[in-house]
Amino acid sequence: MDQKGEKRPDVVQFMKENYSPRFTYADFAPQFTAEFFDPDEWARIFKASGAKYVVLTSKHHEGFTLWPSKSSFGWNALDTGPRRNLLGDLAVAVKKMELRFGVYHSMYEWFNPLYIQDRNNDFKTQRFVAEKTMPELLELVNDYKPEVIWSDGDWEADYTYWNSTNFLSWLYNDSPVKETVVVNDRWGRGIPCKHGDFYTCSDRYNPGKLLEHKWENCMTIDKDSWGYRRTASLKDYLTTHELIKELAETVSCGGNLLMNIGPTADGRIIPIFEERLIEMGEWLQVNGEAIYESHPWKSQEDSSTSGVWYTQRDGNVYGIVLFWPKQELLYLHDPLPSNKTVITLLGYPDSLSWKSNDKGLQIVFPSMSEAPGKFAWVIKMTSLTKNKMKARRKV
């Protein structure tokens, strides 16, 4: 199915040409073997990427659970396919790396007869919620203690059908993760972008402007898929520069970035995903000061020079520069320096020369061969004038 839940003709034709007419969706399960799944290696890669939290798809819309759920007998990773508690093993590995562990969980299921029955009853009955959704969520929280609950598959029914408020009340007040857990905004029709610790609003959500509420940009490194595609080519993957651009835009506007990778059926993270993650981590080792624990500044993207996104932290302002300045001269409109201002390039040992007039700020970069890293660079500005640039004319 495509992202709208509609059948793709090319996929239907592929199934006809390569599978028996009697082949069902459930017959895919034995092909999901995960024999090369190494949770410690996965966690090592995630740690090296600079990530602070990891969200695993515990169950998607087809209902297959990656843990031995008592509510999904015979249709889980321990009973068929890998014959292993994939979620439990990864949770241990991720926490051992001192990363926060989270779970994605689909509330509804495409094929479940209990859900179909409730839907046919205009959601006036709740057998599916009582016998499937809620028991699963309680299992996940009590047994694996995730600190992020990423809910999805809610859009066909109101929150009252899903019993969302009762679950969330228990989660925040009585659950074993009540002190640290956060949730997204997908808990019933009409709820996204309105309620939740952080908003996700829609897949690949990136408003490009500052929001008052915390939000998350959940997106994919593969431009066209949330899973692994055997037919993907190099052009189908975002470059590391494109990922850093996404990160800069997102953090500057008050969001978090959640990057999706699709592992293989045999349990591997393919090299191109690993490379992207490792290169992100290497960039963050130099420039993470502008990202971690930062806050949006009064400007997001510079109003004169595009491709420069701002954050602030501990009284300092950071400009994430997504291109190398022509002739090593960067012109900015929005920062207003004082006579105490010092400008540095993260990872570079010396301070940068600068001058300012009523048109803007000119910063002299070192030669590119002397600059740290690649893909993007971060300038750090201290002791800026706090009042808005009232006397400055826009270039």
Side-chain angles (χ1 to χ4, degrees):
M1 294 184 178
D2 62 17
Q3 295 179 11
K4 296 180 180 179
E6 298 175 354
K7 291 183 178 181
R8 285 177 47 184
D10 59 329
V11 175
V12 172
Q13 185 62 32
F14 179 84
M15 292 298 297
K16 288 180 179 179
E17 293 175 354
N18 293 279
Y19 293 87
S20 163
R22 294 182 296 276
F23 191 92
T24 68
Y25 192 94
D27 292 326
F28 279 118
Q31 298 180 18
F32 176 32
T33 54
E35 69 265 34
F36 298 125
F37 174 60
D38 183 346
D40 290 322
E41 175 65 4
W42 280 33
R44 182 198 66 79
I45 293 172
F46 298 151
K47 183 74 172 182
S49 76
K52 296 300 183 183
Y53 61 101
V54 175
V55 179
L56 178 69
T57 299
S58 68
K59 183 194 78 170
H60 203 248
H61 306 326
E62 85 292 336
F64 188 91
T65 66
L66 296 191
W67 81 101
S69 172
K70 298 180 180 66
S71 302
S72 192
F73 180 77
W75 191 233
N76 65 74
L78 188 63
D79 288 344
T80 186
R83 304 286 179 178
R84 182 174 180 178
N85 184 348
L86 301 176
L87 186 148
D89 291 347
L90 186 64
V92 170
V94 165
K95 293 176 182 179
K96 190 164 57 176
M97 280 290 183
E98 298 183 343
L99 300 172
R100 295 186 184 273
F101 180 69
V103 292
Y104 165 104
H105 177 265
S106 175
M107 300 182 82
Y108 90 144
E109 295 177 13
W110 287 323
F111 314 124
N112 194 295
L114 293 181
Y115 180 74
I116 294 171
Q117 182 184 55
D118 283 350
R119 184 171 57 193
N120 290 340
N121 292 333
D122 295 326
F123 298 111
K124 294 177 181 177
T125 55
Q126 294 175 288
R127 280 195 65 191
F128 176 75
V129 176
E131 299 179 30
K132 195 70 164 62
T133 305
M134 282 302 124
E136 285 179 348
L137 285 169
L138 293 173
E139 275 183 356
L140 286 170
V141 174
N142 285 319
D143 295 349
Y144 305 104
K145 299 175 178 56
E147 295 182 273
V148 181
I149 308 291
W150 215 105
S151 182
D152 195 21
D154 61 316
W155 52 81
E156 292 189 345
D158 293 336
Y159 74 91
T160 51
Y161 167 74
W162 294 116
N163 202 17
S164 297
T165 50
N166 284 340
F167 170 73
L168 293 171
S169 177
W170 169 80
L171 184 70
Y172 288 134
N173 293 287
D174 299 307
S175 80
V177 291
K178 62 183 180 181
E179 300 297 335
T180 57
V181 71
V182 294
V183 305
N184 69 337
D185 55 350
R186 303 186 186 187
W187 297 96
R189 182 170 51 201
I191 299 299
C193 243
K194 294 180 181 177
H195 301 283
D197 293 310
F198 61 95
Y199 294 166
T200 58
C201 300
S202 60
D203 294 343
R204 301 177 178 87
Y205 181 68
N206 185 358
K209 63 180 181 180
L210 180 62
L211 300 186
E212 294 183 359
H213 194 84
K214 190 65 180 179
W215 60 280
E216 181 186 75
N217 178 357
C218 180
M219 43 71 70
T220 59
I221 297 178
D222 180 336
K223 301 173 187 177
D224 297 321
S225 177
W226 297 89
Y228 166 70
R229 291 189 302 140
R230 291 182 292 170
T231 58
S233 60
L234 184 61
K235 64 179 175 56
D236 294 325
Y237 298 98
L238 292 174
T239 66
T240 303
H241 178 266
E242 288 172 324
L243 290 171
I244 292 173
K245 177 178 181 291
E246 197 81 17
L247 176 67
E249 293 175 0
T250 298
V251 175
S252 179
C253 296
N256 285 4
L257 186 67
L258 185 63
M259 298 191 304
N260 175 85
I261 58 170
T264 62
D266 57 19
R268 294 174 296 116
I269 296 174
I270 61 173
I272 194 165
F273 284 140
E274 181 179 359
E275 179 189 58
R276 295 293 187 267
L277 293 177
I278 296 300
E279 288 184 338
M280 287 289 286
E282 291 172 348
W283 187 85
L284 284 164
Q285 283 183 344
V286 175
N287 301 294
E289 183 181 334
I291 302 296
Y292 301 124
E293 300 179 17
S294 67
H295 302 278
W297 193 46
K298 56 190 173 186
S299 296
Q300 278 61 68
E301 187 177 23
D302 191 77
S303 57
S304 178
T305 302
S306 62
V308 179
W309 292 83
Y310 295 109
T311 64
Q312 63 175 326
R313 174 182 170 181
D314 300 331
N316 303 311
V317 175
Y318 301 85
I320 305 170
V321 184
L322 298 175
F323 59 91
W324 188 256
K326 293 180 180 180
Q327 299 180 331
E328 283 71 49
L329 294 177
L330 178 66
Y331 297 91
L332 300 177
H333 177 268
D334 295 357
L336 186 61
S338 69
N339 56 9
K340 296 181 179 180
T341 293
V342 176
I343 301 178
T344 55
L345 187 68
L346 294 188
Y348 183 72
D350 302 323
S351 59
L352 305 183
S353 299
W354 60 269
K355 62 182 180 180
S356 178
N357 57 35
D358 63 346
K359 292 183 178 181
L361 174 63
Q362 176 184 289
I363 303 170
V364 181
F365 271 49
S367 66
M368 194 174 187
S369 62
E370 297 177 328
K374 52 184 178 180
F375 305 121
W377 300 265
V378 176
I379 55 171
K380 177 180 179 180
M381 296 170 280
T382 66
S383 303
L384 293 179
T385 300
K386 295 184 182 298
N387 59 330
K388 192 70 175 176
M389 307 72 76
K390 293 180 179 178
R392 178 166 290 171
R393 293 186 289 111
K394 187 172 180 179
V395 178

